[in-house]
Amino acid sequence: MNVLDVSRDQIATAARRVMARCDELAQVTATPGGITRVYLSPEHARVNRLVAEWMREIGMRTWQDAAGNQFGRMEPTSLSGTRGGSDLPALLLGSHLDTVLDAGRYDGIVGVLMALEIVRLLRVPTDDGAASDGTVWRVPLPFAIEVVAFSDEEGTRFGKALLGSSAVSGGWDEAWWQLTDADGVTLHRAFLEFGLDPGRIGEAAKHPDELVAYLEAHIEQGPELDRAGLPLAVVSSIASARRFQLVVEGEARHAGGTPYDLRRDALLGASEAALAVERICAAEHHIVGTVGRFEAFPGAVNVIPGEVQFSLDLRGEFDGERDRVWGVLTRELDAIMGRRGLRWHGREIHSAPALFCEPLLRDVVAAGIARAQPDGGEAPIVFSRAGHDGMALGAITGVGMLFLRNPDGISHHPDEAVSAGDVAHGIRALFEAVTLLGHEPRG
Ligand code: GLV
Ligand code: MN
Ligand code: MN
């Protein structure tokens, strides 16, 4: 075998390591028996330490940035032993390590661990385990490789998603410091408690010149590949998203003594609103709306709910469509609340535009998939309804994504799955994509 070739066995070993490490990281949770790992928590610190160790094990230089993202970097060194300068732009590979509440073990995590296997495979086998000084690359690449484990993609703790990647793309908003978690802890205080200096957040931002591109592998989080019986897809674009915190106000009164004509029940108004979200969004193409949190106050069995707070997550293929549907929803809310003698107001807590993957990156990912697929067939193209760190990274660099089959399309749930075989195909495809990119002139 040529030293440049990567064997089927090496890929299978890499995939097994990814699966075992997903299991290992699943143990790092705030909720024993489930998986919950949120931004700036002790669990966040622990997985960063573990992943940093794994980065150093393959010769990467590591650091945690000013937003708690874990990075590793490998300089390009060719087979001839010529070492590249440390200020060369980097191809950024990775995904996120934070989770939703009661999560699965692969969302984000598998992409970080696959990225580490790409770095391992790029090194010639003879120096496995050696320090970065001795590293020789299987393929001479004109860029460095950085692997990133983003610290907050889900927005589970503070409601605002993509905090980690927004810091890297220079999109941090000073207003976010006042966001609070369920215990009333501000983002600012959480930074200090984690050991990060809020005053240095700007240092996490990368300049576009520092990056070649961002490439991410992720489970599909939908059923299309499973239904098609295919392991991998190239992503065309990522849905645009907006999230709102909505409040319906009525009047809390006695559950027994208040006749129906005197009731202003906030829970019934909010329930009608949630059903309207389903009705209106389902009638649209590629628009989904979800009410995921719903809380009635004062929350007593014998009191008519006087207030309801609920969330709305709205996504669409195009920003304009998404915004038009939000307009339809607000008019419907006005009508519902008007009929019921209620008031409503809302606050936007997250907004991200649709992200269209860069054509060149789509091409190299598609070519990588074609080389990796058992039958060598053409790569399917899918649109991502789920959000990803690339939505933030798109502000500073081109973004490409590879999806892995997600049995039954179930995600954000403990039953989330991916097979070792599909991870192996994914690693092969990503490896091919990275090496192809190394041969593409980029302006
Ligand atoms: C993240 O997974 C999201 O799409 O909300
Ligand atoms: Mn997720
Ligand atoms: Mn994810």
Side-chain angles (χ1 to χ4, degrees), residues 326-350:
W326 170 239
V328 174
L329 287 172
T330 57
R331 287 191 290 282
E332 187 62 16
L333 283 167
D334 286 342
I336 293 168
M337 303 313 157
R339 272 199 310 274
R340 291 182 168 274
L342 304 166
R343 285 194 309 272
W344 78 276
H345 55 95
R347 187 167 59 88
E348 183 161 7
I349 52 174
H350 172 68

mmCIF file with all atom_site columns, all heavy atoms in Angstrom, residues 326-350:
data_model
loop_
_atom_site.group_PDB
_atom_site.id
_atom_site.type_symbol
_atom_site.label_atom_id
_atom_site.label_alt_id
_atom_site.label_comp_id
_atom_site.label_asym_id
_atom_site.label_entity_id
_atom_site.label_seq_id
_atom_site.pdbx_PDB_ins_code
_atom_site.Cartn_x
_atom_site.Cartn_y
_atom_site.Cartn_z
_atom_site.occupancy
_atom_site.B_iso_or_equiv
_atom_site.pdbx_formal_charge
_atom_site.auth_seq_id
_atom_site.auth_comp_id
_atom_site.auth_asym_id
_atom_site.auth_atom_id
_atom_site.pdbx_PDB_model_num
ATOM 1   N N   . TRP A 1 326 ? -44.065 35.002 9.655  1.00 0.00 ? 326 TRP A N   1
ATOM 2   C CA  . TRP A 1 326 ? -44.138 35.636 10.983 1.00 0.00 ? 326 TRP A CA  1
ATOM 3   C C   . TRP A 1 326 ? -45.179 36.751 10.968 1.00 0.00 ? 326 TRP A C   1
ATOM 4   O O   . TRP A 1 326 ? -45.956 36.914 11.909 1.00 0.00 ? 326 TRP A O   1
ATOM 5   C CB  . TRP A 1 326 ? -42.753 36.142 11.402 1.00 0.00 ? 326 TRP A CB  1
ATOM 6   C CG  . TRP A 1 326 ? -42.746 37.018 12.628 1.00 0.00 ? 326 TRP A CG  1
ATOM 7   C CD1 . TRP A 1 326 ? -42.297 38.295 12.709 1.00 0.00 ? 326 TRP A CD1 1
ATOM 8   C CD2 . TRP A 1 326 ? -43.221 36.675 13.951 1.00 0.00 ? 326 TRP A CD2 1
ATOM 9   N NE1 . TRP A 1 326 ? -42.455 38.784 13.985 1.00 0.00 ? 326 TRP A NE1 1
ATOM 10  C CE2 . TRP A 1 326 ? -43.024 37.820 14.771 1.00 0.00 ? 326 TRP A CE2 1
ATOM 11  C CE3 . TRP A 1 326 ? -43.803 35.552 14.523 1.00 0.00 ? 326 TRP A CE3 1
ATOM 12  C CZ2 . TRP A 1 326 ? -43.379 37.852 16.125 1.00 0.00 ? 326 TRP A CZ2 1
ATOM 13  C CZ3 . TRP A 1 326 ? -44.160 35.579 15.877 1.00 0.00 ? 326 TRP A CZ3 1
ATOM 14  C CH2 . TRP A 1 326 ? -43.942 36.713 16.655 1.00 0.00 ? 326 TRP A CH2 1
ATOM 15  N N   . GLY A 1 327 ? -45.241 37.468 9.855  1.00 0.00 ? 327 GLY A N   1
ATOM 16  C CA  . GLY A 1 327 ? -46.251 38.521 9.726  1.00 0.00 ? 327 GLY A CA  1
ATOM 17  C C   . GLY A 1 327 ? -47.662 37.935 9.774  1.00 0.00 ? 327 GLY A C   1
ATOM 18  O O   . GLY A 1 327 ? -48.552 38.463 10.465 1.00 0.00 ? 327 GLY A O   1
ATOM 19  N N   . VAL A 1 328 ? -47.872 36.813 9.065  1.00 0.00 ? 328 VAL A N   1
ATOM 20  C CA  . VAL A 1 328 ? -49.191 36.152 9.084  1.00 0.00 ? 328 VAL A CA  1
ATOM 21  C C   . VAL A 1 328 ? -49.521 35.709 10.509 1.00 0.00 ? 328 VAL A C   1
ATOM 22  O O   . VAL A 1 328 ? -50.644 35.885 11.009 1.00 0.00 ? 328 VAL A O   1
ATOM 23  C CB  . VAL A 1 328 ? -49.192 34.920 8.131  1.00 0.00 ? 328 VAL A CB  1
ATOM 24  C CG1 . VAL A 1 328 ? -50.494 34.134 8.253  1.00 0.00 ? 328 VAL A CG1 1
ATOM 25  C CG2 . VAL A 1 328 ? -48.953 35.358 6.687  1.00 0.00 ? 328 VAL A CG2 1
ATOM 26  N N   . LEU A 1 329 ? -48.523 35.154 11.199 1.00 0.00 ? 329 LEU A N   1
ATOM 27  C CA  . LEU A 1 329 ? -48.752 34.672 12.569 1.00 0.00 ? 329 LEU A CA  1
ATOM 28  C C   . LEU A 1 329 ? -49.106 35.817 13.519 1.00 0.00 ? 329 LEU A C   1
ATOM 29  O O   . LEU A 1 329 ? -49.992 35.673 14.365 1.00 0.00 ? 329 LEU A O   1
ATOM 30  C CB  . LEU A 1 329 ? -47.497 33.947 13.089 1.00 0.00 ? 329 LEU A CB  1
ATOM 31  C CG  . LEU A 1 329 ? -47.242 32.564 12.479 1.00 0.00 ? 329 LEU A CG  1
ATOM 32  C CD1 . LEU A 1 329 ? -45.876 32.031 12.917 1.00 0.00 ? 329 LEU A CD1 1
ATOM 33  C CD2 . LEU A 1 329 ? -48.336 31.578 12.899 1.00 0.00 ? 329 LEU A CD2 1
ATOM 34  N N   . THR A 1 330 ? -48.435 36.947 13.361 1.00 0.00 ? 330 THR A N   1
ATOM 35  C CA  . THR A 1 330 ? -48.731 38.058 14.293 1.00 0.00 ? 330 THR A CA  1
ATOM 36  C C   . THR A 1 330 ? -50.165 38.564 14.074 1.00 0.00 ? 330 THR A C   1
ATOM 37  O O   . THR A 1 330 ? -50.855 38.874 15.038 1.00 0.00 ? 330 THR A O   1
ATOM 38  C CB  . THR A 1 330 ? -47.732 39.229 14.133 1.00 0.00 ? 330 THR A CB  1
ATOM 39  O OG1 . THR A 1 330 ? -47.764 39.682 12.792 1.00 0.00 ? 330 THR A OG1 1
ATOM 40  C CG2 . THR A 1 330 ? -46.315 38.840 14.508 1.00 0.00 ? 330 THR A CG2 1
ATOM 41  N N   . ARG A 1 331 ? -50.606 38.580 12.813 1.00 0.00 ? 331 ARG A N   1
ATOM 42  C CA  . ARG A 1 331 ? -51.994 39.020 12.567 1.00 0.00 ? 331 ARG A CA  1
ATOM 43  C C   . ARG A 1 331 ? -52.982 38.015 13.170 1.00 0.00 ? 331 ARG A C   1
ATOM 44  O O   . ARG A 1 331 ? -54.015 38.388 13.739 1.00 0.00 ? 331 ARG A O   1
ATOM 45  C CB  . ARG A 1 331 ? -52.228 39.213 11.059 1.00 0.00 ? 331 ARG A CB  1
ATOM 46  C CG  . ARG A 1 331 ? -51.529 40.475 10.525 1.00 0.00 ? 331 ARG A CG  1
ATOM 47  C CD  . ARG A 1 331 ? -51.956 40.826 9.123  1.00 0.00 ? 331 ARG A CD  1
ATOM 48  N NE  . ARG A 1 331 ? -51.475 39.894 8.111  1.00 0.00 ? 331 ARG A NE  1
ATOM 49  C CZ  . ARG A 1 331 ? -50.222 39.886 7.632  1.00 0.00 ? 331 ARG A CZ  1
ATOM 50  N NH1 . ARG A 1 331 ? -49.331 40.759 8.067  1.00 0.00 ? 331 ARG A NH1 1
ATOM 51  N NH2 . ARG A 1 331 ? -49.858 39.006 6.711  1.00 0.00 ? 331 ARG A NH2 1
ATOM 52  N N   . GLU A 1 332 ? -52.630 36.716 13.081 1.00 0.00 ? 332 GLU A N   1
ATOM 53  C CA  . GLU A 1 332 ? -53.504 35.691 13.653 1.00 0.00 ? 332 GLU A CA  1
ATOM 54  C C   . GLU A 1 332 ? -53.539 35.807 15.186 1.00 0.00 ? 332 GLU A C   1
ATOM 55  O O   . GLU A 1 332 ? -54.594 35.653 15.816 1.00 0.00 ? 332 GLU A O   1
ATOM 56  C CB  . GLU A 1 332 ? -52.992 34.300 13.219 1.00 0.00 ? 332 GLU A CB  1
ATOM 57  C CG  . GLU A 1 332 ? -53.880 33.146 13.603 1.00 0.00 ? 332 GLU A CG  1
ATOM 58  C CD  . GLU A 1 332 ? -55.276 33.204 12.957 1.00 0.00 ? 332 GLU A CD  1
ATOM 59  O OE1 . GLU A 1 332 ? -55.457 33.960 11.986 1.00 0.00 ? 332 GLU A OE1 1
ATOM 60  O OE2 . GLU A 1 332 ? -56.175 32.504 13.476 1.00 0.00 ? 332 GLU A OE2 1
ATOM 61  N N   . LEU A 1 333 ? -52.385 36.096 15.788 1.00 0.00 ? 333 LEU A N   1
ATOM 62  C CA  . LEU A 1 333 ? -52.339 36.286 17.245 1.00 0.00 ? 333 LEU A CA  1
ATOM 63  C C   . LEU A 1 333 ? -53.218 37.473 17.651 1.00 0.00 ? 333 LEU A C   1
ATOM 64  O O   . LEU A 1 333 ? -53.962 37.399 18.633 1.00 0.00 ? 333 LEU A O   1
ATOM 65  C CB  . LEU A 1 333 ? -50.892 36.511 17.703 1.00 0.00 ? 333 LEU A CB  1
ATOM 66  C CG  . LEU A 1 333 ? -50.032 35.247 17.777 1.00 0.00 ? 333 LEU A CG  1
ATOM 67  C CD1 . LEU A 1 333 ? -48.554 35.612 17.929 1.00 0.00 ? 333 LEU A CD1 1
ATOM 68  C CD2 . LEU A 1 333 ? -50.456 34.366 18.929 1.00 0.00 ? 333 LEU A CD2 1
ATOM 69  N N   . ASP A 1 334 ? -53.110 38.548 16.879 1.00 0.00 ? 334 ASP A N   1
ATOM 70  C CA  . ASP A 1 334 ? -53.964 39.712 17.165 1.00 0.00 ? 334 ASP A CA  1
ATOM 71  C C   . ASP A 1 334 ? -55.438 39.304 17.158 1.00 0.00 ? 334 ASP A C   1
ATOM 72  O O   . ASP A 1 334 ? -56.216 39.678 18.046 1.00 0.00 ? 334 ASP A O   1
ATOM 73  C CB  . ASP A 1 334 ? -53.771 40.807 16.098 1.00 0.00 ? 334 ASP A CB  1
ATOM 74  C CG  . ASP A 1 334 ? -52.446 41.542 16.266 1.00 0.00 ? 334 ASP A CG  1
ATOM 75  O OD1 . ASP A 1 334 ? -51.858 41.448 17.357 1.00 0.00 ? 334 ASP A OD1 1
ATOM 76  O OD2 . ASP A 1 334 ? -52.017 42.196 15.288 1.00 0.00 ? 334 ASP A OD2 1
ATOM 77  N N   . ALA A 1 335 ? -55.818 38.511 16.135 1.00 0.00 ? 335 ALA A N   1
ATOM 78  C CA  . ALA A 1 335 ? -57.234 38.130 15.989 1.00 0.00 ? 335 ALA A CA  1
ATOM 79  C C   . ALA A 1 335 ? -57.673 37.229 17.150 1.00 0.00 ? 335 ALA A C   1
ATOM 80  O O   . ALA A 1 335 ? -58.737 37.443 17.749 1.00 0.00 ? 335 ALA A O   1
ATOM 81  C CB  . ALA A 1 335 ? -57.435 37.432 14.649 1.00 0.00 ? 335 ALA A CB  1
ATOM 82  N N   . ILE A 1 336 ? -56.852 36.236 17.463 1.00 0.00 ? 336 ILE A N   1
ATOM 83  C CA  . ILE A 1 336 ? -57.214 35.283 18.536 1.00 0.00 ? 336 ILE A CA  1
ATOM 84  C C   . ILE A 1 336 ? -57.367 36.025 19.865 1.00 0.00 ? 336 ILE A C   1
ATOM 85  O O   . ILE A 1 336 ? -58.358 35.870 20.584 1.00 0.00 ? 336 ILE A O   1
ATOM 86  C CB  . ILE A 1 336 ? -56.130 34.183 18.676 1.00 0.00 ? 336 ILE A CB  1
ATOM 87  C CG1 . ILE A 1 336 ? -56.103 33.300 17.428 1.00 0.00 ? 336 ILE A CG1 1
ATOM 88  C CG2 . ILE A 1 336 ? -56.362 33.342 19.935 1.00 0.00 ? 336 ILE A CG2 1
ATOM 89  C CD1 . ILE A 1 336 ? -54.884 32.381 17.362 1.00 0.00 ? 336 ILE A CD1 1
ATOM 90  N N   . MET A 1 337 ? -56.371 36.851 20.175 1.00 0.00 ? 337 MET A N   1
ATOM 91  C CA  . MET A 1 337 ? -56.379 37.522 21.479 1.00 0.00 ? 337 MET A CA  1
ATOM 92  C C   . MET A 1 337 ? -57.512 38.567 21.530 1.00 0.00 ? 337 MET A C   1
ATOM 93  O O   . MET A 1 337 ? -58.135 38.757 22.571 1.00 0.00 ? 337 MET A O   1
ATOM 94  C CB  . MET A 1 337 ? -55.027 38.179 21.779 1.00 0.00 ? 337 MET A CB  1
ATOM 95  C CG  . MET A 1 337 ? -53.853 37.197 21.730 1.00 0.00 ? 337 MET A CG  1
ATOM 96  S SD  . MET A 1 337 ? -54.145 35.647 22.630 1.00 0.00 ? 337 MET A SD  1
ATOM 97  C CE  . MET A 1 337 ? -52.966 34.569 21.806 1.00 0.00 ? 337 MET A CE  1
ATOM 98  N N   . GLY A 1 338 ? -57.784 39.186 20.383 1.00 0.00 ? 338 GLY A N   1
ATOM 99  C CA  . GLY A 1 338 ? -58.879 40.159 20.327 1.00 0.00 ? 338 GLY A CA  1
ATOM 100 C C   . GLY A 1 338 ? -60.205 39.485 20.659 1.00 0.00 ? 338 GLY A C   1
ATOM 101 O O   . GLY A 1 338 ? -61.004 40.001 21.446 1.00 0.00 ? 338 GLY A O   1
ATOM 102 N N   . ARG A 1 339 ? -60.439 38.310 20.055 1.00 0.00 ? 339 ARG A N   1
ATOM 103 C CA  . ARG A 1 339 ? -61.699 37.572 20.306 1.00 0.00 ? 339 ARG A CA  1
ATOM 104 C C   . ARG A 1 339 ? -61.851 37.183 21.765 1.00 0.00 ? 339 ARG A C   1
ATOM 105 O O   . ARG A 1 339 ? -62.941 37.129 22.306 1.00 0.00 ? 339 ARG A O   1
ATOM 106 C CB  . ARG A 1 339 ? -61.701 36.287 19.463 1.00 0.00 ? 339 ARG A CB  1
ATOM 107 C CG  . ARG A 1 339 ? -62.251 36.431 18.065 1.00 0.00 ? 339 ARG A CG  1
ATOM 108 C CD  . ARG A 1 339 ? -62.638 35.077 17.476 1.00 0.00 ? 339 ARG A CD  1
ATOM 109 N NE  . ARG A 1 339 ? -61.614 34.042 17.571 1.00 0.00 ? 339 ARG A NE  1
ATOM 110 C CZ  . ARG A 1 339 ? -60.633 33.845 16.689 1.00 0.00 ? 339 ARG A CZ  1
ATOM 111 N NH1 . ARG A 1 339 ? -60.542 34.638 15.652 1.00 0.00 ? 339 ARG A NH1 1
ATOM 112 N NH2 . ARG A 1 339 ? -59.759 32.875 16.853 1.00 0.00 ? 339 ARG A NH2 1
ATOM 113 N N   . ARG A 1 340 ? -60.723 36.915 22.409 1.00 0.00 ? 340 ARG A N   1
ATOM 114 C CA  . ARG A 1 340 ? -60.771 36.378 23.781 1.00 0.00 ? 340 ARG A CA  1
ATOM 115 C C   . ARG A 1 340 ? -60.520 37.434 24.861 1.00 0.00 ? 340 ARG A C   1
ATOM 116 O O   . ARG A 1 340 ? -60.389 37.108 26.028 1.00 0.00 ? 340 ARG A O   1
ATOM 117 C CB  . ARG A 1 340 ? -59.719 35.261 23.928 1.00 0.00 ? 340 ARG A CB  1
ATOM 118 C CG  . ARG A 1 340 ? -60.056 34.009 23.144 1.00 0.00 ? 340 ARG A CG  1
ATOM 119 C CD  . ARG A 1 340 ? -59.017 32.930 23.355 1.00 0.00 ? 340 ARG A CD  1
ATOM 120 N NE  . ARG A 1 340 ? -59.484 31.648 22.835 1.00 0.00 ? 340 ARG A NE  1
ATOM 121 C CZ  . ARG A 1 340 ? -60.235 30.791 23.510 1.00 0.00 ? 340 ARG A CZ  1
ATOM 122 N NH1 . ARG A 1 340 ? -60.615 31.064 24.740 1.00 0.00 ? 340 ARG A NH1 1
ATOM 123 N NH2 . ARG A 1 340 ? -60.618 29.655 22.962 1.00 0.00 ? 340 ARG A NH2 1
ATOM 124 N N   . GLY A 1 341 ? -60.385 38.659 24.464 1.00 0.00 ? 341 GLY A N   1
ATOM 125 C CA  . GLY A 1 341 ? -60.158 39.717 25.452 1.00 0.00 ? 341 GLY A CA  1
ATOM 126 C C   . GLY A 1 341 ? -58.789 39.613 26.123 1.00 0.00 ? 341 GLY A C   1
ATOM 127 O O   . GLY A 1 341 ? -58.623 39.956 27.293 1.00 0.00 ? 341 GLY A O   1
ATOM 128 N N   . LEU A 1 342 ? -57.831 39.140 25.376 1.00 0.00 ? 342 LEU A N   1
ATOM 129 C CA  . LEU A 1 342 ? -56.476 38.958 25.916 1.00 0.00 ? 342 LEU A CA  1
ATOM 130 C C   . LEU A 1 342 ? -55.517 39.932 25.239 1.00 0.00 ? 342 LEU A C   1
ATOM 131 O O   . LEU A 1 342 ? -55.838 40.503 24.195 1.00 0.00 ? 342 LEU A O   1
ATOM 132 C CB  . LEU A 1 342 ? -56.001 37.513 25.659 1.00 0.00 ? 342 LEU A CB  1
ATOM 133 C CG  . LEU A 1 342 ? -56.899 36.403 26.203 1.00 0.00 ? 342 LEU A CG  1
ATOM 134 C CD1 . LEU A 1 342 ? -56.508 35.056 25.603 1.00 0.00 ? 342 LEU A CD1 1
ATOM 135 C CD2 . LEU A 1 342 ? -56.797 36.346 27.735 1.00 0.00 ? 342 LEU A CD2 1
ATOM 136 N N   . ARG A 1 343 ? -54.331 40.072 25.819 1.00 0.00 ? 343 ARG A N   1
ATOM 137 C CA  . ARG A 1 343 ? -53.272 40.866 25.165 1.00 0.00 ? 343 ARG A CA  1
ATOM 138 C C   . ARG A 1 343 ? -52.082 39.954 24.946 1.00 0.00 ? 343 ARG A C   1
ATOM 139 O O   . ARG A 1 343 ? -51.875 38.981 25.692 1.00 0.00 ? 343 ARG A O   1
ATOM 140 C CB  . ARG A 1 343 ? -52.837 42.026 26.072 1.00 0.00 ? 343 ARG A CB  1
ATOM 141 C CG  . ARG A 1 343 ? -53.822 43.160 26.125 1.00 0.00 ? 343 ARG A CG  1
ATOM 142 C CD  . ARG A 1 343 ? -53.176 44.404 26.749 1.00 0.00 ? 343 ARG A CD  1
ATOM 143 N NE  . ARG A 1 343 ? -52.532 44.076 28.024 1.00 0.00 ? 343 ARG A NE  1
ATOM 144 C CZ  . ARG A 1 343 ? -53.163 44.089 29.195 1.00 0.00 ? 343 ARG A CZ  1
ATOM 145 N NH1 . ARG A 1 343 ? -54.441 44.410 29.250 1.00 0.00 ? 343 ARG A NH1 1
ATOM 146 N NH2 . ARG A 1 343 ? -52.524 43.783 30.309 1.00 0.00 ? 343 ARG A NH2 1
ATOM 147 N N   . TRP A 1 344 ? -51.267 40.247 23.936 1.00 0.00 ? 344 TRP A N   1
ATOM 148 C CA  . TRP A 1 344 ? -50.032 39.472 23.764 1.00 0.00 ? 344 TRP A CA  1
ATOM 149 C C   . TRP A 1 344 ? -48.897 40.395 23.394 1.00 0.00 ? 344 TRP A C   1
ATOM 150 O O   . TRP A 1 344 ? -49.093 41.469 22.834 1.00 0.00 ? 344 TRP A O   1
ATOM 151 C CB  . TRP A 1 344 ? -50.215 38.367 22.708 1.00 0.00 ? 344 TRP A CB  1
ATOM 152 C CG  . TRP A 1 344 ? -50.165 38.859 21.285 1.00 0.00 ? 344 TRP A CG  1
ATOM 153 C CD1 . TRP A 1 344 ? -51.186 39.395 20.576 1.00 0.00 ? 344 TRP A CD1 1
ATOM 154 C CD2 . TRP A 1 344 ? -49.017 38.866 20.413 1.00 0.00 ? 344 TRP A CD2 1
ATOM 155 N NE1 . TRP A 1 344 ? -50.769 39.740 19.310 1.00 0.00 ? 344 TRP A NE1 1
ATOM 156 C CE2 . TRP A 1 344 ? -49.441 39.425 19.184 1.00 0.00 ? 344 TRP A CE2 1
ATOM 157 C CE3 . TRP A 1 344 ? -47.692 38.457 20.544 1.00 0.00 ? 344 TRP A CE3 1
ATOM 158 C CZ2 . TRP A 1 344 ? -48.579 39.579 18.102 1.00 0.00 ? 344 TRP A CZ2 1
ATOM 159 C CZ3 . TRP A 1 344 ? -46.821 38.606 19.464 1.00 0.00 ? 344 TRP A CZ3 1
ATOM 160 C CH2 . TRP A 1 344 ? -47.275 39.169 18.265 1.00 0.00 ? 344 TRP A CH2 1
ATOM 161 N N   . HIS A 1 345 ? -47.699 39.993 23.749 1.00 0.00 ? 345 HIS A N   1
ATOM 162 C CA  . HIS A 1 345 ? -46.505 40.686 23.264 1.00 0.00 ? 345 HIS A CA  1
ATOM 163 C C   . HIS A 1 345 ? -45.386 39.657 23.138 1.00 0.00 ? 345 HIS A C   1
ATOM 164 O O   . HIS A 1 345 ? -45.484 38.533 23.665 1.00 0.00 ? 345 HIS A O   1
ATOM 165 C CB  . HIS A 1 345 ? -46.113 41.858 24.175 1.00 0.00 ? 345 HIS A CB  1
ATOM 166 C CG  . HIS A 1 345 ? -45.916 41.488 25.612 1.00 0.00 ? 345 HIS A CG  1
ATOM 167 N ND1 . HIS A 1 345 ? -44.689 41.181 26.129 1.00 0.00 ? 345 HIS A ND1 1
ATOM 168 C CD2 . HIS A 1 345 ? -46.807 41.363 26.631 1.00 0.00 ? 345 HIS A CD2 1
ATOM 169 C CE1 . HIS A 1 345 ? -44.835 40.905 27.423 1.00 0.00 ? 345 HIS A CE1 1
ATOM 170 N NE2 . HIS A 1 345 ? -46.099 41.008 27.752 1.00 0.00 ? 345 HIS A NE2 1
ATOM 171 N N   . GLY A 1 346 ? -44.354 40.031 22.419 1.00 0.00 ? 346 GLY A N   1
ATOM 172 C CA  . GLY A 1 346 ? -43.277 39.066 22.173 1.00 0.00 ? 346 GLY A CA  1
ATOM 173 C C   . GLY A 1 346 ? -41.929 39.742 22.090 1.00 0.00 ? 346 GLY A C   1
ATOM 174 O O   . GLY A 1 346 ? -41.841 40.951 21.852 1.00 0.00 ? 346 GLY A O   1
ATOM 175 N N   . ARG A 1 347 ? -40.907 38.933 22.318 1.00 0.00 ? 347 ARG A N   1
ATOM 176 C CA  . ARG A 1 347 ? -39.529 39.435 22.266 1.00 0.00 ? 347 ARG A CA  1
ATOM 177 C C   . ARG A 1 347 ? -38.749 38.447 21.401 1.00 0.00 ? 347 ARG A C   1
ATOM 178 O O   . ARG A 1 347 ? -38.829 37.226 21.618 1.00 0.00 ? 347 ARG A O   1
ATOM 179 C CB  . ARG A 1 347 ? -38.982 39.460 23.693 1.00 0.00 ? 347 ARG A CB  1
ATOM 180 C CG  . ARG A 1 347 ? -37.626 40.099 23.872 1.00 0.00 ? 347 ARG A CG  1
ATOM 181 C CD  . ARG A 1 347 ? -37.378 40.344 25.371 1.00 0.00 ? 347 ARG A CD  1
ATOM 182 N NE  . ARG A 1 347 ? -37.420 39.116 26.156 1.00 0.00 ? 347 ARG A NE  1
ATOM 183 C CZ  . ARG A 1 347 ? -36.388 38.321 26.391 1.00 0.00 ? 347 ARG A CZ  1
ATOM 184 N NH1 . ARG A 1 347 ? -35.212 38.604 25.887 1.00 0.00 ? 347 ARG A NH1 1
ATOM 185 N NH2 . ARG A 1 347 ? -36.517 37.219 27.122 1.00 0.00 ? 347 ARG A NH2 1
ATOM 186 N N   . GLU A 1 348 ? -38.008 38.966 20.453 1.00 0.00 ? 348 GLU A N   1
ATOM 187 C CA  . GLU A 1 348 ? -37.199 38.075 19.616 1.00 0.00 ? 348 GLU A CA  1
ATOM 188 C C   . GLU A 1 348 ? -35.911 37.744 20.362 1.00 0.00 ? 348 GLU A C   1
ATOM 189 O O   . GLU A 1 348 ? -35.212 38.637 20.839 1.00 0.00 ? 348 GLU A O   1
ATOM 190 C CB  . GLU A 1 348 ? -36.876 38.766 18.288 1.00 0.00 ? 348 GLU A CB  1
ATOM 191 C CG  . GLU A 1 348 ? -36.097 37.872 17.360 1.00 0.00 ? 348 GLU A CG  1
ATOM 192 C CD  . GLU A 1 348 ? -36.156 38.345 15.915 1.00 0.00 ? 348 GLU A CD  1
ATOM 193 O OE1 . GLU A 1 348 ? -36.694 39.441 15.665 1.00 0.00 ? 348 GLU A OE1 1
ATOM 194 O OE2 . GLU A 1 348 ? -35.667 37.609 15.055 1.00 0.00 ? 348 GLU A OE2 1
ATOM 195 N N   . ILE A 1 349 ? -35.599 36.447 20.469 1.00 0.00 ? 349 ILE A N   1
ATOM 196 C CA  . ILE A 1 349 ? -34.389 36.088 21.222 1.00 0.00 ? 349 ILE A CA  1
ATOM 197 C C   . ILE A 1 349 ? -33.301 35.484 20.327 1.00 0.00 ? 349 ILE A C   1
ATOM 198 O O   . ILE A 1 349 ? -32.193 35.237 20.790 1.00 0.00 ? 349 ILE A O   1
ATOM 199 C CB  . ILE A 1 349 ? -34.713 35.116 22.388 1.00 0.00 ? 349 ILE A CB  1
ATOM 200 C CG1 . ILE A 1 349 ? -35.504 33.900 21.883 1.00 0.00 ? 349 ILE A CG1 1
ATOM 201 C CG2 . ILE A 1 349 ? -35.477 35.838 23.493 1.00 0.00 ? 349 ILE A CG2 1
ATOM 202 C CD1 . ILE A 1 349 ? -35.721 32.847 22.961 1.00 0.00 ? 349 ILE A CD1 1
ATOM 203 N N   . HIS A 1 350 ? -33.629 35.246 19.066 1.00 0.00 ? 350 HIS A N   1
ATOM 204 C CA  . HIS A 1 350 ? -32.606 34.698 18.163 1.00 0.00 ? 350 HIS A CA  1
ATOM 205 C C   . HIS A 1 350 ? -33.039 34.946 16.729 1.00 0.00 ? 350 HIS A C   1
ATOM 206 O O   . HIS A 1 350 ? -34.215 34.812 16.407 1.00 0.00 ? 350 HIS A O   1
ATOM 207 C CB  . HIS A 1 350 ? -32.461 33.192 18.413 1.00 0.00 ? 350 HIS A CB  1
ATOM 208 C CG  . HIS A 1 350 ? -31.571 32.488 17.425 1.00 0.00 ? 350 HIS A CG  1
ATOM 209 N ND1 . HIS A 1 350 ? -30.216 32.702 17.372 1.00 0.00 ? 350 HIS A ND1 1
ATOM 210 C CD2 . HIS A 1 350 ? -31.846 31.575 16.467 1.00 0.00 ? 350 HIS A CD2 1
ATOM 211 C CE1 . HIS A 1 350 ? -29.706 31.944 16.415 1.00 0.00 ? 350 HIS A CE1 1
ATOM 212 N NE2 . HIS A 1 350 ? -30.668 31.259 15.855 1.00 0.00 ? 350 HIS A NE2 1
#
